[in-house]
Amino acid sequence: MQLQLSTWPEVEEYLKISSGIVIPIGSTEQHGPNGLIGTDAICAEAISKGVGDETEALVGPTINVGMALHHTSFPGTVSLRPSTLLALVQDYITFLTKAGFTKFFFINGHGGNMATVKAAFAQTYTHLSELQIPNSDRVQCRLANWFLCSSVRNLAKELYGDREGSHATASEVAVTQFLYPEAIKNVELDAQLPPQDKIYGPDDFRRRHPDGRMGSDPSMATPEHGERFYKAAVKELSQAYREFLQAE
Ligand code: NI
């Protein structure tokens, strides 16, 4: 069930049986020579909808743009500053709490969002208690990163070994190929693995990673692999969501 395709009376009915919501969060950033700019948002949204179907959870509107400042020397990248993302996440949670939601399960597709989203959770708990919204003391937020699911990690290791990498990975490119086969790019990639350095500023990032990849070989991605990653992530995160709902 998607919030965007629901009416307010339907949301009111839903809240009588559940106070949980799944919120996809991704990024709009360069993903190497053959990866789509929307990769992180596309993956997070599709996996969230899969979890919603599996668990009958309401799925909120996708946060499509995330914290991608280090990718902004490549054209097409759009980034929020950490402070903007923090405020955005806080506003999502605040007004959904006001409606009656208390269990927020964010399914994330971008490593660069993690620190800011966790900071947003910490700040929001205090913000809610200051606002004295009923039930705000029961609000719980969870950040679930689909690409860190153990089933996903294991499959990536099996399929790609040390060529999975950490950005513009073969696994995430495979998921987008499964979802959007019409957008598959046939691009020749340098066979030598690019470095997987630390991340500093955007110009430094582009200097170290001229084609945008970090330690990855996304030429190995296939739509069939993508379907396997998608199913593994939906299965593991559906279980995690159910446990999160039941936990005190
Ligand atoms: Ni990504």
Short mmCIF file of all heavy atoms in Angstrom, two decimals, residues 150-189:
data_model
loop_
_atom_site.label_atom_id
_atom_site.label_comp_id
_atom_site.label_asym_id
_atom_site.label_seq_id
_atom_site.Cartn_x
_atom_site.Cartn_y
_atom_site.Cartn_z
N SER A 150 22.75 -9.24 4.83
CA SER A 150 23.75 -10.31 4.72
C SER A 150 23.50 -11.17 3.48
O SER A 150 24.44 -11.60 2.83
CB SER A 150 23.79 -11.15 6.00
OG SER A 150 22.51 -11.64 6.28
N SER A 151 22.21 -11.38 3.12
CA SER A 151 21.93 -12.19 1.93
C SER A 151 22.43 -11.48 0.66
O SER A 151 22.91 -12.12 -0.28
CB SER A 151 20.43 -12.46 1.82
OG SER A 151 19.71 -11.25 1.84
N VAL A 152 22.34 -10.16 0.65
CA VAL A 152 22.82 -9.37 -0.50
C VAL A 152 24.34 -9.40 -0.55
O VAL A 152 24.95 -9.61 -1.62
CB VAL A 152 22.29 -7.92 -0.41
CG1 VAL A 152 22.97 -7.01 -1.42
CG2 VAL A 152 20.78 -7.89 -0.60
N ARG A 153 24.97 -9.21 0.60
CA ARG A 153 26.45 -9.22 0.66
C ARG A 153 26.99 -10.58 0.18
O ARG A 153 27.96 -10.65 -0.57
CB ARG A 153 26.96 -8.96 2.08
CG ARG A 153 26.58 -7.64 2.70
CD ARG A 153 27.08 -6.43 1.96
NE ARG A 153 28.51 -6.43 1.75
CZ ARG A 153 29.14 -5.72 0.81
NH1 ARG A 153 28.43 -4.98 -0.03
NH2 ARG A 153 30.45 -5.76 0.71
N ASN A 154 26.35 -11.64 0.66
CA ASN A 154 26.81 -12.99 0.29
C ASN A 154 26.65 -13.24 -1.21
O ASN A 154 27.54 -13.82 -1.84
CB ASN A 154 26.04 -14.05 1.09
CG ASN A 154 26.42 -14.04 2.55
OD1 ASN A 154 27.49 -13.54 2.91
ND2 ASN A 154 25.57 -14.57 3.40
N LEU A 155 25.53 -12.81 -1.75
CA LEU A 155 25.29 -13.02 -3.19
C LEU A 155 26.30 -12.20 -4.02
O LEU A 155 26.83 -12.70 -5.02
CB LEU A 155 23.85 -12.63 -3.54
CG LEU A 155 23.41 -12.85 -4.98
CD1 LEU A 155 23.59 -14.32 -5.40
CD2 LEU A 155 21.96 -12.40 -5.19
N ALA A 156 26.57 -10.98 -3.58
CA ALA A 156 27.55 -10.14 -4.31
C ALA A 156 28.92 -10.79 -4.29
O ALA A 156 29.65 -10.77 -5.29
CB ALA A 156 27.60 -8.75 -3.69
N LYS A 157 29.26 -11.37 -3.15
CA LYS A 157 30.57 -12.03 -3.04
C LYS A 157 30.64 -13.24 -3.97
O LYS A 157 31.63 -13.47 -4.65
CB LYS A 157 30.77 -12.47 -1.58
CG LYS A 157 32.19 -12.72 -1.21
CD LYS A 157 32.31 -12.91 0.31
CE LYS A 157 33.69 -13.27 0.71
NZ LYS A 157 34.72 -12.42 0.72
N GLU A 158 29.53 -13.98 -4.00
CA GLU A 158 29.47 -15.18 -4.85
C GLU A 158 29.56 -14.80 -6.33
O GLU A 158 30.28 -15.44 -7.11
CB GLU A 158 28.14 -15.89 -4.55
CG GLU A 158 27.83 -17.10 -5.40
CD GLU A 158 26.35 -17.50 -5.25
OE1 GLU A 158 25.81 -17.42 -4.12
OE2 GLU A 158 25.75 -17.87 -6.28
N LEU A 159 28.86 -13.74 -6.73
CA LEU A 159 28.79 -13.39 -8.16
C LEU A 159 29.99 -12.56 -8.63
O LEU A 159 30.45 -12.69 -9.76
CB LEU A 159 27.51 -12.60 -8.44
CG LEU A 159 26.19 -13.34 -8.30
CD1 LEU A 159 25.02 -12.36 -8.44
CD2 LEU A 159 26.07 -14.45 -9.34
N TYR A 160 30.50 -11.67 -7.75
CA TYR A 160 31.49 -10.69 -8.20
C TYR A 160 32.82 -10.72 -7.45
O TYR A 160 33.75 -10.02 -7.86
CB TYR A 160 30.90 -9.26 -8.10
CG TYR A 160 29.53 -9.12 -8.71
CD1 TYR A 160 28.48 -8.58 -7.98
CD2 TYR A 160 29.27 -9.54 -10.02
CE1 TYR A 160 27.21 -8.44 -8.53
CE2 TYR A 160 28.00 -9.41 -10.57
CZ TYR A 160 26.97 -8.86 -9.82
OH TYR A 160 25.72 -8.74 -10.36
N GLY A 161 32.88 -11.47 -6.34
CA GLY A 161 34.12 -11.52 -5.57
C GLY A 161 34.58 -10.14 -5.16
O GLY A 161 33.78 -9.34 -4.66
N ASP A 162 35.86 -9.83 -5.43
CA ASP A 162 36.38 -8.51 -5.02
C ASP A 162 36.10 -7.44 -6.07
O ASP A 162 36.63 -6.33 -6.00
CB ASP A 162 37.88 -8.61 -4.71
CG ASP A 162 38.70 -8.96 -5.95
OD1 ASP A 162 38.09 -9.21 -7.02
OD2 ASP A 162 39.94 -8.98 -5.87
N ARG A 163 35.25 -7.73 -7.06
CA ARG A 163 34.92 -6.74 -8.09
C ARG A 163 33.56 -6.07 -7.83
O ARG A 163 33.05 -5.34 -8.67
CB ARG A 163 34.96 -7.37 -9.49
CG ARG A 163 36.34 -7.97 -9.82
CD ARG A 163 36.43 -8.48 -11.25
NE ARG A 163 36.63 -7.42 -12.22
CZ ARG A 163 37.79 -6.81 -12.49
NH1 ARG A 163 38.88 -7.16 -11.82
NH2 ARG A 163 37.87 -5.88 -13.40
N GLU A 164 32.96 -6.34 -6.64
CA GLU A 164 31.70 -5.66 -6.27
C GLU A 164 31.94 -4.17 -6.01
O GLU A 164 31.19 -3.33 -6.48
CB GLU A 164 31.10 -6.36 -5.04
CG GLU A 164 30.08 -5.55 -4.24
CD GLU A 164 28.71 -5.41 -4.88
OE1 GLU A 164 28.54 -5.76 -6.06
OE2 GLU A 164 27.80 -4.93 -4.19
N GLY A 165 33.01 -3.86 -5.23
CA GLY A 165 33.34 -2.46 -4.97
C GLY A 165 32.41 -1.81 -3.95
O GLY A 165 31.61 -2.49 -3.29
N SER A 166 32.53 -0.46 -3.83
CA SER A 166 31.73 0.23 -2.82
C SER A 166 30.89 1.38 -3.39
O SER A 166 30.06 1.94 -2.70
CB SER A 166 32.64 0.77 -1.71
OG SER A 166 33.57 1.69 -2.24
N HIS A 167 31.12 1.75 -4.64
CA HIS A 167 30.23 2.73 -5.27
C HIS A 167 30.10 2.40 -6.76
O HIS A 167 31.06 2.03 -7.39
CB HIS A 167 30.75 4.17 -5.11
CG HIS A 167 29.86 5.15 -5.83
ND1 HIS A 167 28.56 5.38 -5.46
CD2 HIS A 167 30.07 5.89 -6.94
CE1 HIS A 167 28.01 6.24 -6.30
NE2 HIS A 167 28.90 6.56 -7.21
N ALA A 168 28.86 2.63 -7.27
CA ALA A 168 28.53 2.14 -8.61
C ALA A 168 28.83 0.65 -8.66
O ALA A 168 29.51 0.14 -9.55
CB ALA A 168 29.29 2.91 -9.70
N THR A 169 28.30 -0.05 -7.64
CA THR A 169 28.59 -1.48 -7.50
C THR A 169 27.84 -2.29 -8.55
O THR A 169 26.81 -1.86 -9.09
CB THR A 169 28.16 -1.97 -6.10
OG1 THR A 169 26.75 -1.78 -5.96
CG2 THR A 169 28.90 -1.23 -4.99
N ALA A 170 28.38 -3.49 -8.79
CA ALA A 170 27.74 -4.37 -9.75
C ALA A 170 26.33 -4.74 -9.28
O ALA A 170 25.39 -4.83 -10.08
CB ALA A 170 28.59 -5.63 -9.94
N SER A 171 26.15 -4.92 -7.96
CA SER A 171 24.84 -5.35 -7.44
C SER A 171 23.77 -4.28 -7.64
O SER A 171 22.66 -4.59 -8.08
CB SER A 171 24.94 -5.75 -5.97
OG SER A 171 25.42 -4.68 -5.19
N GLU A 172 24.08 -3.04 -7.34
CA GLU A 172 23.04 -2.01 -7.48
C GLU A 172 22.73 -1.74 -8.95
O GLU A 172 21.57 -1.51 -9.32
CB GLU A 172 23.40 -0.72 -6.72
CG GLU A 172 24.66 -0.04 -7.20
CD GLU A 172 24.99 1.22 -6.38
OE1 GLU A 172 24.13 1.73 -5.66
OE2 GLU A 172 26.14 1.70 -6.50
N VAL A 173 23.77 -1.78 -9.79
CA VAL A 173 23.52 -1.61 -11.23
C VAL A 173 22.66 -2.76 -11.75
O VAL A 173 21.74 -2.57 -12.55
CB VAL A 173 24.86 -1.49 -12.00
CG1 VAL A 173 24.64 -1.58 -13.50
CG2 VAL A 173 25.55 -0.17 -11.64
N ALA A 174 22.90 -3.97 -11.23
CA ALA A 174 22.10 -5.13 -11.64
C ALA A 174 20.63 -4.94 -11.27
O ALA A 174 19.73 -5.25 -12.07
CB ALA A 174 22.65 -6.41 -10.99
N VAL A 175 20.37 -4.40 -10.07
CA VAL A 175 18.97 -4.19 -9.66
C VAL A 175 18.27 -3.21 -10.60
O VAL A 175 17.14 -3.43 -11.02
CB VAL A 175 18.88 -3.71 -8.19
CG1 VAL A 175 17.45 -3.31 -7.83
CG2 VAL A 175 19.38 -4.80 -7.24
N THR A 176 18.97 -2.14 -11.00
CA THR A 176 18.34 -1.18 -11.93
C THR A 176 18.12 -1.82 -13.30
O THR A 176 17.15 -1.51 -13.99
CB THR A 176 19.16 0.12 -12.10
OG1 THR A 176 20.42 -0.18 -12.70
CG2 THR A 176 19.39 0.82 -10.78
N GLN A 177 19.01 -2.73 -13.69
CA GLN A 177 18.84 -3.41 -14.98
C GLN A 177 17.61 -4.32 -14.96
O GLN A 177 16.91 -4.46 -15.95
CB GLN A 177 20.09 -4.21 -15.33
CG GLN A 177 21.28 -3.33 -15.67
CD GLN A 177 22.51 -4.12 -16.07
OE1 GLN A 177 22.59 -5.33 -15.84
NE2 GLN A 177 23.48 -3.45 -16.66
N PHE A 178 17.39 -4.95 -13.80
CA PHE A 178 16.20 -5.79 -13.64
C PHE A 178 14.93 -4.93 -13.71
O PHE A 178 13.95 -5.30 -14.36
CB PHE A 178 16.29 -6.54 -12.29
CG PHE A 178 15.00 -7.11 -11.80
CD1 PHE A 178 14.28 -8.04 -12.56
CD2 PHE A 178 14.48 -6.74 -10.56
CE1 PHE A 178 13.07 -8.56 -12.09
CE2 PHE A 178 13.28 -7.26 -10.10
CZ PHE A 178 12.57 -8.17 -10.87
N LEU A 179 14.96 -3.77 -13.07
CA LEU A 179 13.77 -2.92 -12.99
C LEU A 179 13.52 -2.13 -14.28
O LEU A 179 12.38 -1.89 -14.66
CB LEU A 179 13.91 -1.94 -11.82
CG LEU A 179 13.98 -2.59 -10.43
CD1 LEU A 179 14.43 -1.57 -9.39
CD2 LEU A 179 12.63 -3.18 -10.04
N TYR A 180 14.61 -1.72 -14.93
CA TYR A 180 14.49 -0.89 -16.15
C TYR A 180 15.37 -1.46 -17.26
O TYR A 180 16.37 -0.83 -17.64
CB TYR A 180 14.91 0.56 -15.86
CG TYR A 180 13.96 1.31 -14.97
CD1 TYR A 180 14.18 1.40 -13.60
CD2 TYR A 180 12.82 1.93 -15.50
CE1 TYR A 180 13.29 2.07 -12.77
CE2 TYR A 180 11.93 2.61 -14.68
CZ TYR A 180 12.18 2.68 -13.32
OH TYR A 180 11.30 3.35 -12.50
N PRO A 181 15.00 -2.62 -17.80
CA PRO A 181 15.83 -3.22 -18.84
C PRO A 181 15.99 -2.31 -20.06
O PRO A 181 17.00 -2.37 -20.76
CB PRO A 181 15.09 -4.53 -19.19
CG PRO A 181 13.73 -4.39 -18.61
CD PRO A 181 13.84 -3.46 -17.46
N GLU A 182 15.01 -1.44 -20.29
CA GLU A 182 15.08 -0.54 -21.44
C GLU A 182 16.15 0.54 -21.26
O GLU A 182 16.52 1.22 -22.22
CB GLU A 182 13.71 0.11 -21.69
CG GLU A 182 13.24 1.12 -20.66
CD GLU A 182 12.58 0.50 -19.42
OE1 GLU A 182 12.75 -0.72 -19.18
OE2 GLU A 182 11.92 1.26 -18.68
N ALA A 183 16.65 0.69 -20.02
CA ALA A 183 17.65 1.75 -19.76
C ALA A 183 19.06 1.19 -19.58
O ALA A 183 19.95 1.90 -19.12
CB ALA A 183 17.24 2.56 -18.54
N ILE A 184 19.25 -0.07 -19.94
CA ILE A 184 20.59 -0.66 -19.80
C ILE A 184 21.55 0.02 -20.78
O ILE A 184 21.24 0.19 -21.96
CB ILE A 184 20.55 -2.20 -20.06
CG1 ILE A 184 19.75 -2.88 -18.95
CG2 ILE A 184 21.97 -2.77 -20.14
CD1 ILE A 184 19.54 -4.37 -19.16
N LYS A 185 22.72 0.41 -20.28
CA LYS A 185 23.71 1.11 -21.11
C LYS A 185 24.81 0.13 -21.51
O LYS A 185 25.35 -0.58 -20.66
CB LYS A 185 24.36 2.26 -20.33
CG LYS A 185 23.39 3.13 -19.54
CD LYS A 185 22.45 3.93 -20.42
CE LYS A 185 21.50 4.75 -19.57
NZ LYS A 185 20.50 5.48 -20.35
N ASN A 186 25.10 0.13 -22.79
CA ASN A 186 26.22 -0.68 -23.25
C ASN A 186 27.44 0.20 -23.39
O ASN A 186 27.63 0.89 -24.38
CB ASN A 186 25.87 -1.36 -24.57
CG ASN A 186 24.80 -2.43 -24.38
OD1 ASN A 186 24.95 -3.29 -23.52
ND2 ASN A 186 23.72 -2.34 -25.14
N VAL A 187 28.25 0.18 -22.34
CA VAL A 187 29.43 1.05 -22.29
C VAL A 187 30.65 0.18 -21.99
O VAL A 187 30.59 -0.71 -21.14
CB VAL A 187 29.28 2.11 -21.17
CG1 VAL A 187 30.49 3.02 -21.11
CG2 VAL A 187 28.01 2.93 -21.37
N GLU A 188 31.72 0.44 -22.71
CA GLU A 188 32.98 -0.28 -22.47
C GLU A 188 33.63 0.29 -21.20
O GLU A 188 33.84 1.50 -21.10
CB GLU A 188 33.91 -0.07 -23.67
CG GLU A 188 35.08 -1.03 -23.74
CD GLU A 188 34.67 -2.40 -24.26
OE1 GLU A 188 33.76 -2.49 -25.12
OE2 GLU A 188 35.25 -3.39 -23.78
N LEU A 189 33.92 -0.58 -20.22
CA LEU A 189 34.56 -0.10 -18.99
C LEU A 189 36.01 -0.52 -18.96
O LEU A 189 36.37 -1.58 -19.46
CB LEU A 189 33.86 -0.68 -17.75
CG LEU A 189 32.41 -0.30 -17.51
CD1 LEU A 189 31.95 -0.84 -16.15
CD2 LEU A 189 32.23 1.20 -17.55
#
